[in-house]
Amino acid sequence: MPNQDNQPNERKIYLKDLHQWVPVSKTDYDNYYRDINSFRRRQQEHGRCVCPASKRYLCDMDCWTCRFHKAGDELSLDYTVTDDDGNKKSWLDDLADDAPNALTILEEREQLDALMSKLYELDPDGRRICELLLQEKTEREIAAIMGFSQQSTVNYKKKKAFDTLRELLRDHI
């Protein structure tokens, strides 16, 4: 009977992308498959993984692309439950509606119109700076576009324009 201590216990890891087996040490093998095996077991407990033992080496924890993936105990938002009073409702009924209502849209539109009308009351440089800021230009870029030699000029005019806008829009903010 051969002594198993004298024979190297060779382990292999399958590299799915390269379609080849790579020999590794037992430690590397255990480290590589530790997370994969625990993940796969969790998925199997929930009926989402039906991978046969002969194909487990293919597992890369990407269940959505795996041919052995099943729905398991995942439920749709349309899944209905019955409460104590016998009323049925879907989980979708409990989700908050994030869509803005008509009143919110009208209020925001009114604020935007007020901002735009007050923007035209600014001096031409202040208005142009605000327009460039809305285009996500930096202060350095604005200085170059407007022909100012220093960025501090843009800072000063921007502060002056913002103070004026704040005063003009006091009733809307």
Side-chain angles (χ1 to χ4, degrees), residues 1 6 9 19 23 34 49 68 97 118 164:
M1 183 167 166
N6 294 339
N9 193 1
H19 304 290
R34 179 178 297 115
C49 178
F68 303 111
D97 184 13
K118 299 301 181 184
T164 304

Side-chain angles (χ1 to χ4, degrees), residues 91-108:
W91 288 350
L92 192 58
D93 296 338
D94 291 336
L95 289 179
D97 184 13
D98 294 337
N101 61 25
L103 181 61
T104 305
I105 293 171
L106 289 173
E107 287 173 351
E108 289 176 358

Side-chain angles (χ1 to χ4, degrees), residues 95-157:
L95 289 179
D97 184 13
D98 294 337
N101 61 25
L103 181 61
T104 305
I105 293 171
L106 289 173
E107 287 173 351
E108 289 176 358
R109 180 64 190 185
E110 182 181 319
Q111 286 180 341
L112 182 61
D113 289 342
L115 174 64
M116 294 307 287
S117 69
K118 299 301 181 184
L119 190 59
Y120 288 109
E121 293 179 21
L122 292 177
D123 64 288
D125 284 345
R127 181 173 53 247
R128 181 71 176 139
I129 289 172
C130 289
E131 289 170 354
L132 292 170
L133 286 171
L134 288 171
Q135 296 173 13
E136 299 182 9
K137 302 285 186 195
T138 64
E139 291 174 356
R140 181 171 290 151
E141 292 171 330
I142 294 171
I145 291 170
M146 295 185 68
F148 297 137
S149 60
Q150 294 183 349
Q151 183 179 339
S152 60
T153 305
V154 174
N155 291 335
Y156 171 76
K157 290 186 177 280

